[in-house]
Amino acid sequence: MAKDLERDLGLFAVIAISMGAMIGSGIFILPGVAMAEAGPAVILAFVIAAILVVPAALSIAELGTAMPEAGGDYVFIERGLGPSFGTIAGLGTWLMLMLKGSLALYGGMFYVNFIYQLPTWEIAIPALEAGLTIPGVRALGITFAIVLIAVNLVGVKQTGGLQLIMVMVMLAILSAFVVGSIVQVEGANYDPFWPDDGIDGVLSATALVLVSYAGVTKVAAVAEEIENPGRNLPLGLFISLIATAFLYALLVFVLVGVVEGPELTGTEEPMAVATELLFGAATIPVPIVGTLPAGSFAVAAIVLAALLALVSTANAGILTASRYPLALSRDKLFLEVFEYIHPRFSTPFVAILTTGAIIIFIVATQEVDEIAKMAGAFQILVYILVCGALIAFREHNLEWYDPEFQTPGYPWIQLFGILSGIFIITQMDAQEIIGSVGIVVFGFLWFRWYAKDRIEREGAAKGLARREAGKQFVRDTEEQLEREDRFEMLIPLRRDVTREQEDALIQLAAPIVRRRGGRIRVVRFDEVPDQVPLDTAAKTLSETDLEFEQRTDELVQDLEVPVEVGEIVSHDTRHAVVNFAERIGADLVLARQEATSRLGTLFGRDTDWIMEHAPCDVAFVQHAQRVSVDEIAVVTDRSPFNDPLKVELADAMADVLGARIRFLFAVSENAPDELLETIADYHAELDALCTVPVESSIVRSDDAVDGLSEALEPSDIVILSTVTHRRLPDLLIEQRSDRLAAAIEQPALLVHSKETRRGSFLRPILERVLFD
């Protein structure tokens, strides 16, 4: 029998946990640093940052009540947007928590330095005949980091009761500070209110202080233990966010009002500076050390509160951050070594050591404002993904997705969260923008290289997008099949084409034109050197020319469609083909094509040029030969942009020839069930549009070409998609349609729709990603 967690966390506990995760660097470190960006308007920066967090907080509240056992934002994103975005979210949250822990460690030591001047560390390095100088604040921060890493390695951690007591102590000290200082606020300190660069400075400060609210959504990790989560989780998150934002704004308002701008701007210990100014300086006797020039009891209390908050935040940062590479590893998205659990201490040893090492590096090398902004960038990136995940779950209409709380204002709240998040990232410095883009790119590349073949699951968003894309393909196919205009087909031939090859092309073209009505134009294109005048070459009628006209007349005499035969002389055949197709208003160019090696595409092919410039659809035939046709195979996978044209041609030929169609789609051995269901539905909808019998086959194989070529053996004609070759890239990655066409013996019709050129650059890429 499975064990359930007792739901004993009430509304007050939710508020305490959420506020405890937020109160820290936002008030003890960042006000002075942010004031250097925004001046007194830093008050607005804290308010705007809180507003930006609201969409993510509401989304987390809904997701937490729908999946209370899931364990937080990383899993919500992984389930909603898929493992690739889950990888990005996991890595981004890991970095954000490490940066937040580093900020707390480094910033907290400034408070120690305020009451006792920390000595600089001099470390001799004999091998280099030099020394390493480490400022006292960084040195003490590194020392605390090492201690906390050791604490986490052996499994000693703070209890929930201690965390609650600490939050109460901090709130009491901060409340006393506000009560004792608000009466001493000077209005002159707020003038001028706006910074010199106006709103830009406020937005820059907003990006800096975003990390202050990083803990608001962490309570979702214990959603399974919350009593009445449908009420207490969203209400607790909302109350804690409002209370913390109000507290931050009030404290910053007091700080700006009691400390003159030059004294507060840029300081890393603003609370201590304000307290000393208000309550006076004094000396505190300490055994052995002597006296500390710290200030009054009030200063000591503020320093104590800061150390409690920041060291606790750092410890929690190491504890929670180290669990993300562990979770990623267990989900097969990251290196297996991070799954290692120490046999004695039962802690994720490698994950903690790696996390700790990175935190030490950050403390040793980065400045406070750089750490805060980078942490805020990664945090807002995760919040954007959380809003996207909620949209994916809502729109997918999953039977099991039944949250007790639903976000009001959906989807506008989530869209605001996504757009505002993207906007605020663009307002950050180049380092933060590059870092945000870098983690996205690295996450995708890592997933494609390492994790893609190790997992069988996908997110709700990909299934939703695939389903919508499938519907669009069906609509496009329906429009293609319902066209009633007469069909003009051009069959361009070179001089070296044989009678058998010409016959095969005409036999493929005839059923298509017969179905639609129209005519076939069989034109031989003779290319002559530039030195030969075209009029001279056109007047010369050779025996080969006469033989071509005679044999073509013989080939088409039994066809039930009109055929016109002609010859064109030009200096450049490919230009002549495109120009003639445009002049006659051709709907399809049907040409012969020889299989080409990847090396052969390096300098470009005439067929690629024709595909790029033709005013109509283009199809190339490989292995051209006359065959009896009982089954026409249409490979629909990975090139859905061309599917409408492929289905139209297949249905026309099968209808006239009395054949059947078989749709084939290749998937990997570990393809998710949802993909298989979507493809089956897609084929069924295409079946409903066709006028001939249709079969559907889904080929499971890790080598799609081998799997498809074997499955295609019973078919008489194979219809594939093709794209223009990009020359040098094709030396590295061969087009799968080329490999498949070369691997089979049947005539292969490689189709390229003109809609591919008219559509957006991203659409075919996105479609391939969805159906890969």
Side-chain angles (χ1 to χ4, degrees), residues 433-447:
I433 296 175
I434 294 172
S436 300
V437 174
I439 197 65
V440 172
V441 173
F442 176 79
F444 271 121
L445 294 178
W446 177 268
F447 173 76

Side-chain angles (χ1 to χ4, degrees), residues 487-760:
F487 201 78
E488 290 281 340
M489 182 180 294
L490 170 63
I491 301 180
L493 302 174
R494 290 184 179 273
R495 292 180 63 89
D496 58 354
V497 70
T498 66
R499 176 188 179 91
E500 290 74 18
Q501 291 167 341
E502 182 183 354
D503 182 37
L505 290 173
I506 293 174
Q507 294 302 321
L508 279 174
I512 301 171
V513 176
R514 181 179 170 186
R515 165 78 171 267
R516 289 280 301 276
R519 61 183 166 179
I520 301 173
R521 294 180 185 259
V522 182
V523 180
R524 189 170 75 170
F525 289 82
D526 292 341
E527 185 172 317
V528 298
D530 293 341
Q531 296 83 354
V532 177
L534 293 179
D535 57 348
T536 301
K539 293 177 182 177
T540 305
L541 194 62
S542 65
E543 293 183 5
T544 304
D545 297 331
L546 295 173
E547 189 274 333
F548 165 71
E549 293 180 2
Q550 180 179 357
R551 84 184 188 201
T552 303
D553 290 339
E554 294 174 356
L555 291 174
V556 303
Q557 63 183 355
D558 295 329
L559 296 180
E560 299 181 16
V561 296
V563 179
E564 293 186 8
V565 182
E567 295 183 66
I568 292 179
V569 179
S570 71
H571 294 309
D572 188 331
T573 297
R574 63 184 187 179
H575 279 82
V577 170
V578 169
N579 291 337
F580 186 74
E582 187 170 9
R583 187 162 65 248
I584 67 172
D587 296 291
L588 178 70
V589 173
L590 180 66
R592 176 174 161 268
Q593 176 181 275
E594 294 288 350
T596 306
S597 66
R598 277 186 282 178
L599 186 60
T601 68
L602 178 59
F603 300 105
R605 303 185 304 178
D606 288 346
T607 53
D608 292 321
W609 194 92
I610 291 173
M611 278 190 283
E612 288 181 347
H613 296 87
C616 57
D617 300 327
V618 181
F620 298 101
V621 182
Q622 284 187 202
H623 314 301
Q625 55 186 302
R626 179 187 272 250
V627 294
S628 59
V629 181
D630 294 319
E631 179 179 279
I632 300 173
V634 179
V635 179
T636 61
D637 63 319
R638 294 187 62 167
S639 299
F641 217 122
N642 289 312
D643 278 0
L645 178 59
K646 289 190 289 185
V647 175
E648 179 194 18
L649 299 180
D651 189 60
M653 286 190 289
D655 184 28
V656 174
L657 299 175
R660 64 182 179 274
I661 296 175
R662 184 155 65 107
F663 295 123
L664 295 96
F665 193 106
V667 299
S668 62
E669 291 284 0
N670 62 348
D673 292 339
E674 189 171 17
L675 172 59
L676 304 182
E677 294 173 2
T678 303
I679 297 307
D681 292 342
Y682 176 45
H683 284 176
E685 291 176 316
L686 293 180
D687 181 3
L689 298 177
C690 294
T691 59
V692 299
V694 173
E695 296 180 5
S696 174
S697 298
I698 298 178
V699 179
R700 281 181 172 269
S701 176
D702 287 331
D703 189 321
V705 172
D706 289 345
L708 283 171
S709 59
E710 182 178 347
L712 289 169
E713 289 179 359
S715 303
D716 302 302
I717 296 176
V718 178
I719 302 182
L720 308 167
S721 297
T722 188
V723 295
T724 54
H725 294 72
R726 299 302 179 187
R727 300 181 183 180
L728 186 58
D730 285 298
L731 293 177
L732 304 175
I733 304 175
E734 186 176 16
Q735 297 289 344
R736 190 163 74 173
S737 58
D738 292 342
R739 292 177 56 206
L740 184 56
I744 61 178
E745 299 179 355
Q746 308 96 310
L749 195 63
L750 293 100
V751 172
H752 181 78
S753 171
K754 63 182 178 181
E755 297 301 324
T756 305
R757 302 188 295 275
R758 292 180 179 178
S760 69

Side-chain angles (χ1 to χ4, degrees), residues 392-414:
F393 280 118
R394 283 280 198 103
E395 296 300 320
H396 202 275
N397 295 321
L398 298 169
E399 293 183 3
W400 59 265
Y401 185 76
D402 186 23
E404 296 182 38
F405 166 77
Q406 290 192 336
T407 303
Y410 172 85
W412 307 112
I413 292 291
Q414 283 68 35

Side-chain angles (χ1 to χ4, degrees), residues 121-137:
W121 284 14
E122 298 286 348
I123 302 176
I125 306 178
L128 300 178
E129 297 183 354
L132 180 64
T133 300
I134 303 177
V137 173

Side-chain angles (χ1 to χ4, degrees), residues 84-102:
S84 57
F85 283 99
T87 303
I88 295 170
L91 294 175
T93 306
W94 184 28
L95 287 170
M96 184 271 289
L97 290 171
M98 287 189 291
L99 287 162
K100 184 181 179 184
S102 303

Side-chain angles (χ1 to χ4, degrees), residues 338-372:
F338 286 97
E339 285 189 66
Y340 175 74
I341 303 298
H342 195 280
R344 178 180 176 185
F345 302 120
S346 299
T347 55
F349 212 74
V350 176
I352 293 174
L353 283 178
T354 305
T355 299
I358 296 174
I359 287 176
I360 289 174
F361 173 79
I362 295 171
V363 171
T365 60
Q366 302 299 307
E367 298 299 329
V368 166
D369 58 337
E370 295 173 349
I371 299 173

